[in-house]
């Protein structure tokens, strides 16, 4: 294998994108329940919706190779602007040929704006009209991100779908705070749009609708965000600690404020039943660290609900994690072995558990897309929920 | 993919072995330098020698799937009796269908006797004629292993090549201690042979030659171990902290005490130049945690010697770890990316670095086997050493 002297063989153009080809979204059909099936086209590939985006926080979907993520059916991943800005730095990534080449992922990448992590991970935030000053969670250094800098970072990374810089209010938050915050997010949205390099219709920029748990504020935020003309629209400020019923309430009205012909992205959501519920409300895109993070904590998803592999009841089980699952973990290893790997803190355990959970999510999305095409999403949902909540572990 | 209800599909017989088919070793040719090429046949598959055995300490070659290990060219792996005895326990592994099925490795497995780990990891050892009492490094519980128990554990695991129980003296050790210790190892060797289930010629049992750094004691140990008639012979008590020159000295005479028609195994060795040197001395088998452990510490092997990926000089390097290497790590990722993964403690970094180092070792063994077949091992060695010590990192 060692033939001597060849240079590193991944040419930069293998990872380039023709940004003059516009980003588009085509809605295929809407089920009677409200669930939508469609497809986004980007210069780096198409994404069937509803889609789940695995999170590649620091330039890696944790424990997975890009080839494995692709093989699971993921057509797009998410990269975190905040993390990559701090380490290794967006300028270094750009110099190294962009995030796609850096991490060897050829498909589309959506980058968040960095705002959410600034608020949740950084310390000593100071929010001003101009932007946010914060201290790095890594070395405590003082940093600043504005809408213009966020777009600059996202473009340097080579993002295919960028998110506007926004403020994500915590839960609970007073109505006055949320109302003022959404105005700031609107102004930041306008500045994000203005900061984008012109004549690159292949690189999408999505707006973010805020408004907390207040229906009228959501409507105002949506209307005025729509007026600015983004390529897609996200619902922000959900899955931030509010009761599940409250998120469901917001999702009962907020998607209707968004145009039917643009993709709708529910940021940071969620558990499998949340995805099914939100798809029924007309959501097209999701991202969440849950399948990867929970895998590393031993929580594995099955058709009959999550199981916790560290439980003693699994240590002699020759069954697969999910006997009905086709992933490499379930086809080749027993619960007893995964239990052993978890208890001995073996890296292979992290790998197999992550692989399984991501397979579960991608399979769930594929099943939902199929159900929408067949016009029987309601039946799918009923069957899904029946199974998912059927068994109580250890009962 | 979720078709519902199938049982875990790895049938036990896929992992079974026909133990009535004898273990054999065939020597193909011996190079003028002394290096030997041959093949071991076991009921679970053949192993071309000289062979390097990746270490699967706790039922997993760290960070790798068995499929990846196989794809790298490894035809045998090593399992640690001590670790598996403590967790999950050999009886549980046996109940689950044996170690091969447990970890999904279909090829041969060599198990050590547990002795080395008892002495190096356990606490409060008490060595008696009967065996060794020690405390588990996991929970402090009191444990006991004798030659009979060691063989019982190895058989329960389903080992293809078992090692006799031995005492491995530390370095330095007084001549009297070493002389007494090798007598104990000889008695334990006889008991190990007696403990083996009869009429299973497919399951090999290797003897271990001790004698420390004393030539006459090595010769005595070898002669009397040979008289007992094992299927292969190991040199123990090397790579235990002695100066490199001392190990080379022992290897200059000790292999000659062993019969030409049986495999010779140098336990726990070593660095790439050590392997090349030892192959020239007529060694056929090696195991070492170095490629996997050092990978996780960022030390990566290249044709021009090891590099430490955490060094700042690599953070903007678009080169592969080893531009002449054909492994998935070097074909798809830059040094800059591996440096980033290491610094951010990403599991993918551990994976790719381990994959690269194991690829390096397996490629080195394949190159040595080829050089032996071609009768030009001396030229191979000269070229190898010239390259390996050619470049000083950061110079």
């Amino acid at each position: 294998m060692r033939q001597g002297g060849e240079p590193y063989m991944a040419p930069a153009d293998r990872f380039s994108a023709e940004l003059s080809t516009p980003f588009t979204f085509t809605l295929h059909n809407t089920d009677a329940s409200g669930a939508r099936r469609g497809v986004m086209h980007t210069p780096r590939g198409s994404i069937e919706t509803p889609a789940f985006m695995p999170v590649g926080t620091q330039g890696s979907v944790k424990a997975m190779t890009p080839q494995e993520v692709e093989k699971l059916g993921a057509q797009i991943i998410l990269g975190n602007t905040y993390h990559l800005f701090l380490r290794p730095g967006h300028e270094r990534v750009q110099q190294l040929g962009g995030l796609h080449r850096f991490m060897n992922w050829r498909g589309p990448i959506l980058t968040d704006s960095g705002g959410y992590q600034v608020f949740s991970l950084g310390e000593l935030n100071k929010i001003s009209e101009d932007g946010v000053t914060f201290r790095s969670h890594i070395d405590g250094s003082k940093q600043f991100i504005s809408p213009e800098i966020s777009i600059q970072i996202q473009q340097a990374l080579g993002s295919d779908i960028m998110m506007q810089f926004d403020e994500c209010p915590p839960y609970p938050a007073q109505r006055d705070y949320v109302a003022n915050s959404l105005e700031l997010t609107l102004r930041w949205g306008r500045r994000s749009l203005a900061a984008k390099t012109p004549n690159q219709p292949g690189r999408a920029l999505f707006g973010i609708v805020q408004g907390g748990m207040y229906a009228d504020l959501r409507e105002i935020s949506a209307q005025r965000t729509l007026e600015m003309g983004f390529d897609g629209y996200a619902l922000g400020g959900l899955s931030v600690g509010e009761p599940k019923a409250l998120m469901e309430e917001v999702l009962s009205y907020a998607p209707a404020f968004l145009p039917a012909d643009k993709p709708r992205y529910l940021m940071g959501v969620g558990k499998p039943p949340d995805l099914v519920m939100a798809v029924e409300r007309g959501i097209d895109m999701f991202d969440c660290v849950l399948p990867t993070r929970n895998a590393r904590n031993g929580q594995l998803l099955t058709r009959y609900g999550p199981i916790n592999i560290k439980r003693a009841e699994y240590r002699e089980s020759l069954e697969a994690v999910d006997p009905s699952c086709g992933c490499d973990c379930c086809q080749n290893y027993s619960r007893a072995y995964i239990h052993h790997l978890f208890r001995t803190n073996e890296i292979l355990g992290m790998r197999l558990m992550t692989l399984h959970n991501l397979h579960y999510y991608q399979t769930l999305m594929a099943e939902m897309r199929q159900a929408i095409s067949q016009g029987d999403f309601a039946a799918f949902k009923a069957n899904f929920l029946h199974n998912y909540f059927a068994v109580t572990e250890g009962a």
Side-chain angles (χ1 to χ4, degrees), chain A residues 13 73 81 90 104 124 142 167 175 177 211 239 264 271 278 283 293 297 344 376:
Chain A
D13 61 3
T81 288
H90 59 293
N104 193 36
L124 304 176
K142 196 172 164 183
E167 193 202 350
R175 184 187 165 85
Y177 182 91
S239 200
R264 303 165 177 172
K271 294 183 184 175
I283 299 295
R293 179 176 295 164
N297 293 324
T344 51
D376 56 4

Side-chain angles (χ1 to χ4, degrees), chain A residues 333-387:
Chain A
Y333 307 95
S334 62
R335 290 178 174 187
Y337 184 61
I338 306 298
H339 171 90
H340 170 70
L341 293 178
F342 183 87
R343 297 212 352 134
T344 51
N345 202 28
E346 286 285 347
I347 290 172
L348 181 58
M350 306 288 183
R351 287 182 57 175
L352 295 174
M353 293 189 288
T354 302
L355 186 80
H356 171 78
N357 275 0
L358 284 178
H359 180 273
Y360 177 94
Y361 267 66
Q362 293 301 332
T363 303
L364 176 61
M365 301 315 291
E367 288 176 346
M368 286 200 280
R369 289 193 298 267
Q370 189 180 12
I372 297 167
S373 287
Q374 294 172 347
D376 56 4
F377 190 83
F380 170 84
K381 182 188 169 193
N383 184 54
F384 168 84
L385 294 174
H386 174 78
N387 285 329

Side-chain angles (χ1 to χ4, degrees), chain A residues 127-145:
Chain A
I127 306 175
S128 70
E129 184 64 31
D130 200 22
V132 182
T133 306
F134 61 99
R135 291 197 180 274
S136 159
H137 75 288
I138 301 167
D139 62 6
S141 61
K142 196 172 164 183
Q143 304 287 346
F144 176 72
I145 296 184

Side-chain angles (χ1 to χ4, degrees), chain A residues 297-310:
Chain A
N297 293 324
Q299 192 192 65
L300 300 175
L301 296 158
T302 82
R303 145 189 221 94
Y304 298 112
I307 68 169
N308 192 326
I309 202 66
K310 53 180 173 267

Side-chain angles (χ1 to χ4, degrees), chain A residues 76-299:
Chain A
I76 181 169
I77 60 171
L78 182 144
N80 278 123
T81 288
Y82 169 88
H83 288 285
L84 294 164
F85 167 67
L86 293 179
R87 199 167 52 182
H90 59 293
E91 284 163 351
R92 179 164 300 150
V93 173
Q94 184 173 36
Q95 184 188 328
L96 291 166
L99 182 56
H100 297 76
R101 187 184 188 197
F102 186 56
M103 68 182 293
N104 193 36
W105 170 262
R106 278 187 283 180
I109 296 177
L110 181 145
T111 49
D112 60 12
S113 70
Y116 182 79
Q117 274 77 27
V118 163
F119 298 117
S120 61
L121 293 177
E123 284 170 50
L124 304 176
N125 305 314
K126 200 187 126 211
I127 306 175
S128 70
E129 184 64 31
D130 200 22
V132 182
T133 306
F134 61 99
R135 291 197 180 274
S136 159
H137 75 288
I138 301 167
D139 62 6
S141 61
K142 196 172 164 183
Q143 304 287 346
F144 176 72
I145 296 184
S146 65
E148 291 78 16
I149 293 172
S150 171
I151 296 297
Q152 186 187 335
I153 298 168
Q154 295 182 70
Q155 291 188 153
L157 295 174
S159 174
D160 300 286
I161 302 178
M162 304 191 292
M163 300 303 298
Q164 73 153 89
F165 199 59
D166 68 324
E167 193 202 350
C168 179
Y171 176 85
Q174 294 297 318
R175 184 187 165 85
D176 276 1
Y177 182 91
V178 175
N180 287 328
S181 169
L182 79 83
E183 294 288 340
L184 182 64
T185 288
L186 286 166
R187 293 191 295 274
W188 284 358
R190 194 170 306 277
R191 284 167 56 191
S192 298
L193 273 168
K196 190 190 166 206
T197 300
N199 303 320
Q200 294 190 338
R203 176 171 284 153
L205 175 57
F206 280 22
I208 301 178
V209 172
Q210 293 288 356
M213 313 300 157
Y214 304 95
D216 56 336
L217 297 184
R218 283 277 172 192
E219 186 164 15
I220 290 168
S221 175
Q223 279 177 350
R224 293 180 49 202
T225 306
L226 263 60
E227 284 165 11
M228 289 190 257
F230 288 94
D231 299 302
Y233 297 93
L235 296 177
L238 292 172
S239 200
V240 291
E242 77 279 9
K244 191 185 181 69
L246 213 43
M247 179 170 84
E248 290 197 28
E249 187 188 312
V250 174
L251 287 171
S252 72
Y253 56 75
F257 301 148
L258 303 177
D261 64 347
K262 299 286 181 193
R264 303 165 177 172
Y265 167 25
L266 181 56
M267 300 174 80
V269 173
K271 294 183 184 175
D274 299 336
L275 300 191
V276 174
M277 180 271 293
V279 164
E280 191 173 34
R281 298 303 183 183
I283 299 295
D284 306 305
M285 300 164 68
F286 303 90
D287 80 282
C288 192
V289 295
L290 191 145
T292 42
R293 179 176 295 164
N294 285 14
R296 298 195 304 282
N297 293 324
Q299 192 192 65

